[in-house]
Amino acid sequence: MTSPATRPFAHPIRVYWEDTDAGGIVYYANYLKYFERARTEWLRNLGIEQQTLREHTGAMFVVSESTLKCHLPARLDDRLDVTVDLRHSARASLVLHQQALRRGELLADGEVRIACVDAPTLRLRRIPEDILELLA
Amino acid sequence: MTSPATRPFAHPIRVYWEDTDAGGIVYYANYLKYFERARTEWLRNLGIEQQTLREHTGAMFVVSESTLKCHLPARLDDRLDVTVDLRHSARASLVLHQQALRRGELLADGEVRIACVDAPTLRLRRIPEDILELLA
Amino acid sequence: MTSPATRPFAHPIRVYWEDTDAGGIVYYANYLKYFERARTEWLRNLGIEQQTLREHTGAMFVVSESTLKCHLPARLDDRLDVTVDLRHSARASLVLHQQALRRGELLADGEVRIACVDAPTLRLRRIPEDILELLA
Amino acid sequence: MTSPATRPFAHPIRVYWEDTDAGGIVYYANYLKYFERARTEWLRNLGIEQQTLREHTGAMFVVSESTLKCHLPARLDDRLDVTVDLRHSARASLVLHQQALRRGELLADGEVRIACVDAPTLRLRRIPEDILELLA
């Protein structure tokens, strides 16, 4: 999807009926779904499958904070590129900047903090060492 | 919501932006969400909380079959009544007829079969006896 | 729902299966849906129906910015109160602070800027005068 | 996605967090979203963009009936193939059979009737002639 040297990572997303609302545009909360799909593919691209991660380590990523700015509306049939740019990584959380673009034009962007928790208890825990190394 | 003697059970639902699509009407798959909310309240009205049921018995209801007919469109701000009418109960599944009405006018209806499964394995199991008695 | 004198406005919301994810908790983007339902009821409580507003004036509210912090997870069957507190009103936009509470405990909160646009063109426009008066 | 000679058409879909529920599996109503994404790509593959169709002819497809059978659960990170097989075409509606498969294993299937309506009035109308020819 992205040539190896380029950053940030980008994931293509198509706008379907389910994504739109009666205003004729993409319902704003759905950008957070798009951002999550792109983060999932960014992790997968690094070799991290979240279902496998949970089964093997008990670790799960949850969103603890997010911001979203909607600049221009997206519409049915639009083809978007949703980017993932790691801004900061700490022991138990990551901060990512994400954008939704349509042919290079910025439609929406935001910052998302994902925290690593223990799946059964939902308590904060260290991000597994091998993931931190992959992100470094 | 319904007087004790009346059938079927009805649950009020308001149409919000999230429910609509760019056609200006309620996105059809969302009727299945409405039906599920009404079933959940119907069960709660019988004294059955699904989270508690699962913690105490390991049993969980899943939808195994559904049909849906859309007769007239619902729109933003509409106030709907969604009904639940138990049509058939077997050892491991229930069949319900559900309607979405707007001031008595039928907008959509369908039949839903919910099956009782063991939560960890998702294998079919008998519906707990006390639930079958409540439904009888 | 709220006694006339109390602020902020609060709207009750029940957590259904549709709202949860495989982490066993409410999917974070769904708090933005909850916030919007509460805003819609807050407007309705002031006498403003958005479908009617659009038909009569061509004006429509869209979300231009939002922040969200998730403090504690909500689960299936939880009964939440979602608040709306107007923080700032300008000519073409409003800023609201919103909280999701469970028996008084803060689960999530955020700030939402809603902008007034002309429905067909989606261009910014003044909020209709009578709405600004209702909010004052 | 499919070689030109093969039928039915298939569209790949990945299961994300947004698609799952607290049962740990894909929420059943989301199969209807998957089916719609596949239908949209099937139409696009035939040269039909629905946004363009509406702007040029005023015609819009809406779902009037659907059935869904869930055979086996799908989970986070699963990669599905969702098929579209035209079963019947009439003057104002099409009937399609759709399946969700995981490595050839049938997880869910159903039949969907889509009706052609006039976008502003939502009244039934003939499917545009060139679309019927493309489908023949």
Side-chain angles (χ1 to χ4, degrees), chain D residues 71-85:
Chain D
H71 307 286
L72 285 170
R75 294 178 186 279
L76 186 66
D77 288 335
D78 279 352
R79 167 61 165 67
L80 310 181
D81 294 295
V82 181
T83 66
V84 182
D85 191 18

Side-chain angles (χ1 to χ4, degrees), chain A residues 51-71:
Chain A
Q51 183 72 27
T52 309
L53 175 70
R54 183 172 167 181
E55 284 161 12
H56 289 191
T57 70
M60 182 167 84
F61 285 110
V62 296
V63 172
S64 56
E65 294 181 33
S66 70
T67 64
L68 176 68
K69 290 194 187 188
C70 300
H71 308 284

Side-chain angles (χ1 to χ4, degrees), chain B residues 11 14 16-18 33-34 36-37 40-41 44 49-52 54 60-61 76-77, chain C residues 11 14 16-18 33-34 36-37 40-41 44 49-52 54 60-61 76-77:
Chain B
H11 175 66
R14 180 71 74 169
Y16 295 110
W17 283 102
E18 66 186 89
K33 294 187 175 181
Y34 293 171
E36 174 139 358
R37 293 183 204 171
T40 298
E41 296 305 331
R44 198 187 321 277
E49 296 257 345
Q50 291 179 77
Q51 183 71 28
T52 309
R54 183 172 168 182
M60 182 167 85
F61 285 109
L76 186 66
D77 288 334
Chain C
H11 175 66
R14 180 71 73 167
Y16 295 111
W17 283 103
E18 67 187 88
K33 294 187 175 181
Y34 293 172
E36 174 139 359
R37 293 183 203 170
T40 299
E41 296 305 331
R44 198 188 321 278
E49 297 256 347
Q50 292 179 76
Q51 183 72 26
T52 310
R54 183 172 168 182
M60 181 167 84
F61 286 109
L76 185 66
D77 287 336

Side-chain angles (χ1 to χ4, degrees), chain A residues 11 14 16-18 33 36-37 40-41 44 49-52 54 60-61 76-77, chain D residues 11 14 16-18 33 36-37 40-41 44 49-52 54 60-61 76-77:
Chain A
H11 175 66
R14 181 70 75 167
Y16 295 110
W17 283 102
E18 66 186 89
K33 294 186 176 183
E36 174 139 358
R37 293 183 204 171
T40 299
E41 296 305 331
R44 199 188 320 279
E49 296 256 346
Q50 291 179 79
Q51 183 72 27
T52 309
R54 183 172 167 181
M60 182 167 84
F61 285 110
L76 186 66
D77 288 335
Chain D
H11 175 65
R14 181 69 75 167
Y16 295 110
W17 283 102
E18 66 186 88
K33 294 187 175 180
E36 174 139 357
R37 294 184 203 170
T40 299
E41 296 305 332
R44 197 186 323 277
E49 296 257 347
Q50 291 178 76
Q51 184 71 29
T52 309
R54 183 172 168 181
M60 180 168 85
F61 285 110
L76 186 66
D77 288 335

Side-chain angles (χ1 to χ4, degrees), chain D residues 17-43:
Chain D
W17 283 102
E18 66 186 88
D19 301 310
T20 60
D21 70 19
I25 59 180
V26 167
Y27 182 68
Y28 82 110
N30 289 336
Y31 287 106
L32 296 190
K33 294 187 175 180
Y34 293 172
F35 287 176
E36 174 139 357
R37 294 184 203 170
R39 287 197 303 276
T40 299
E41 296 305 332
W42 169 74
L43 286 170

Side-chain angles (χ1 to χ4, degrees), chain A residues 75-126:
Chain A
R75 294 178 187 278
L76 186 66
D77 288 335
D78 279 353
R79 166 61 166 68
L80 311 181
D81 294 295
V82 181
T83 66
V84 183
D85 192 17
L86 178 63
R87 285 289 167 90
H88 182 71
S89 76
R91 283 167 41 118
S93 70
L94 306 175
V95 177
L96 307 144
H97 182 246
Q98 301 201 246
Q99 295 184 311
L101 304 150
R102 185 180 51 206
R103 293 185 300 279
E105 187 176 44
L106 182 64
L107 304 187
D109 73 331
E111 238 177 39
V112 180
R113 177 183 294 273
I114 57 175
C116 191
V117 299
D118 184 52
T121 64
L122 297 172
R123 292 230 180 102
L124 273 183
R125 50 161 285 171
R126 275 188 77 98

